[in-house]
Structure formats: C-alpha cells, structure tokens
Amino acid sequence: MSDKHKDHKKHECQVKTTHCECESHEHHHPQVSIGKIVAKVPVVLAELTLQINVDAVITFPEPVLEIKDIKKHVKLTQCRLLLPTNKLFIKGFVRKNIQYASPSPEIEPSTPKSVASDIHSFTTDIPFQCITEIKKFLTCPVMPKTNKRNEFDFLVSQPLPSGFPEKDELQSNDLSQFHQESKQFYNELPFCELISSKIIEWDEAIDREPLPTSSPLGEGYFTKVEEKMVLDIDLKVLQNQQIRVASTTNDDCCDCCD
C-alpha cells in the first residue's frame, strides 16, 4: 500500500472519531401575552378502550416445522368520528412478523432421531375494523355547520304576443338566467391518537401432517395456522377547538429543576 493511500486511510479514521461538544451559555426567557387570550388547541373529546375480536387463517409459503417467535405491531388506517353522530369508525391491521423453522432435507435428511431445519421469517398483515359508540364525551365536539345554497330570481317584464290586450304584459322570471348565493363552512375534523394496544392470541395449525420421511416421534409440518386474537386498543379522540386561556404574569413560575 502506498504512503499516500495510508495517509488517506489514517485521515478517514481521524474524521470518524472526531467529536464536537457544545453547551448553552444563555437562558432565553419566552415572551408570554398577558391577559385573557383565545387559543386554538387540540381538545380531548373522549378516551376509549376498544376490544376487537379477530379470527384469521395465515398460509405460509413453505412447510413449517415450528414457530419460534412472533412480533406484532398495531397500525390504524382510519379513526373517524362521524359528526353530528357519536359513532366512531375504526380500521387498521396488525403487522405480524413470524419467525419459524422450516424442514430442510437438503441440509440433512431427517432420521428417527433428528430433523434439520432453516430459520425463516414471514410478514403478513391481519386486518380489523369495528364501529363503536361514544356514550360520554369528556368535552363536547363542535358540531359541523352545514353549507347553504339559496336561489333567487329577478322580475322581468315582456310584451305579450298578439291576442292579448296591449296594456297587459308578461311578468315572470327569466328562464335563461340562474342566480344563486352559496356559503361553505370548513369545519374542524376530529382525529385520533393511538395510546396503547394489547394482544392476546391463540395460533393453532389446522393442516399438520407427519414428515414424509422418517422422523422423530411427534414431529410434523404444516402450512396453515388459524389465529384467534383479542385486540385491546386505547386511543384518544381529539378536535382542534378555540378555548380561552388567561395569563397574569410573564415571570418564571419556579425553578423546578434546581
């Protein structure tokens, strides 16, 4: 290796191990508006614990000897409070990463005393949905205002054709014109925050068979699992609302960290 290349590698190592330190030397006191102030903030409408029951069949892409571990994550795709009702619509799925052992006769054929296997993983989404009713609000939601449309016309006088008295005239609206006043409201849509989730599940193979060749007692493989799952979800339902807050001083309230 040339000296130039060695120097370059040495410089790279020095750059990677360089650390910079900094510290704050000045405390910035926030400016606070004094008096009664109207603020727009997220307001908690309700806190709920929902229980959802799920029954699903998971099909693996290859034979499974046994399941080693399952990691689960709950993800919400819809949480909608349908105003002016109190019905809450929930949709989502449970992302499951399943680690399992799959028989591998190419490594070593199974015998009455041993089975060779590979560790693989399979990720799948288990969907769920439910509709519940919020029976008691912590804070009443601001109900949506409805849009309005009003049509109006103008009087138009026109002469009558022959056969009518000359002093008379046709008075009506003009059918070739259209007049309307419309008003739209852009209401605040309630939204949700997921707080926590708990899953109790029961997974059971439904097509387990013995290995096609000789194998230890009780060993077999399967490709389908029936899953029964009870999902508990804690969430908050919020809505941006205007509230009145009051501030009487701009001084520090206390030094709670001293």
Side-chain angles (χ1 to χ4, degrees), residues 71-196:
K71 293 183 179 180
K72 301 171 288 293
H73 298 277
V74 175
K75 298 187 178 183
L76 290 184
T77 58
Q78 183 184 91
C79 184
R80 184 71 66 234
L81 176 61
L82 187 60
L83 295 177
T85 73
N86 56 352
K87 299 294 185 178
L88 185 67
F89 291 75
I90 302 293
K91 281 186 179 182
F93 60 91
V94 178
R95 180 189 183 273
K96 302 191 69 172
N97 179 261
I98 307 173
Q99 297 180 3
Y100 61 93
S102 179
S104 300
E106 62 274 9
I107 297 177
E108 182 181 356
S110 60
T111 67
K113 294 185 178 180
S114 65
V115 179
S117 62
D118 283 338
I119 301 298
H120 297 165
S121 70
F122 179 63
T123 301
T124 183
D125 294 336
I126 308 298
F128 63 84
Q129 62 178 353
C130 75
I131 303 173
T132 187
E133 180 180 0
I134 301 179
K135 297 182 179 180
K136 184 178 180 180
F137 287 100
L138 300 177
T139 304
C140 293
V142 177
M143 295 299 175
K145 297 181 179 179
T146 57
N147 298 335
K148 297 179 181 179
R149 292 189 298 174
N150 297 313
E151 297 181 14
F152 58 92
D153 293 308
F154 293 100
L155 176 65
V156 177
S157 299
Q158 298 177 348
L160 292 170
S162 60
F164 293 89
E166 295 183 356
K167 63 178 180 178
D168 293 339
E169 58 182 8
L170 176 64
Q171 296 187 7
S172 180
N173 62 318
D174 192 346
L175 296 179
S176 65
Q177 297 181 3
F178 180 81
H179 311 280
Q180 184 185 75
E181 177 190 17
S182 60
K183 187 174 184 180
Q184 291 79 35
F185 292 93
Y186 304 96
N187 301 284
E188 289 289 348
L189 187 66
F191 58 96
C192 297
E193 288 184 355
L194 185 60
I195 303 174
S196 64

